């Protein structure tokens, strides 16, 4: 995951998934509206990737679904997200 830790340089984020067969070019990428601070795969469902962003949002991506680069869940102000960076 990519993003800035500096408040004054905030921009969009990027998640890149690589394979062992080709470590120089990502197999799949996901763009986020804010910088990516942390990410982790679900221990029982390895295709689910949880991502925490600098703006406080949390997203879940299904990396097995090659047809969509959109999250299957994304927190928002309506869902009660906070506004501090998600560090872990």
């Amino acid at each position: 995951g990519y993003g800035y830790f500096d408040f004054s340089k905030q921009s969009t984020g990027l998640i890149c998934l690589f394979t062992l067969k080709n470590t120089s070019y990502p197999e799949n990428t996901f763009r986020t509206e804010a910088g990516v601070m942390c990410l982790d795969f679900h221990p029982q469902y390895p295709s689910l990737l949880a991502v925490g962003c600098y703006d406080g949002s949390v997203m879940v991506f299904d990396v097995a679904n090659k047809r969509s680069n959109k999250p299957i869940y994304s927190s928002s102000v309506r869902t009660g997200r906070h506004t501090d960076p998600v560090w872990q």
Side-chain angles (χ1 to χ4, degrees), residues 19-55:
T19 65
L20 293 175
K21 292 180 182 179
N22 186 358
T23 58
S24 60
Y25 189 79
E27 181 179 321
N28 203 353
T29 59
F30 302 92
R31 296 204 178 273
T32 59
E33 292 181 13
V36 175
M37 296 287 103
C38 60
L39 47 83
D40 198 7
F41 283 98
H42 191 284
Q44 294 173 342
Y45 303 99
S47 68
L48 298 181
L49 177 66
V51 178
C53 294
Y54 191 87
D55 68 350

Side-chain angles (χ1 to χ4, degrees), residues 4-7 10 34-38 52-58 81-88:
Y4 285 102
F5 292 110
D6 187 1
F7 178 78
Q10 283 308 299
V36 175
M37 296 287 103
C38 60
C53 294
Y54 191 87
D55 68 350
S57 61
V58 175
R81 80 167 168 96
H82 57 85
T83 56
D84 294 332
V86 179
W87 293 102
Q88 71 184 97

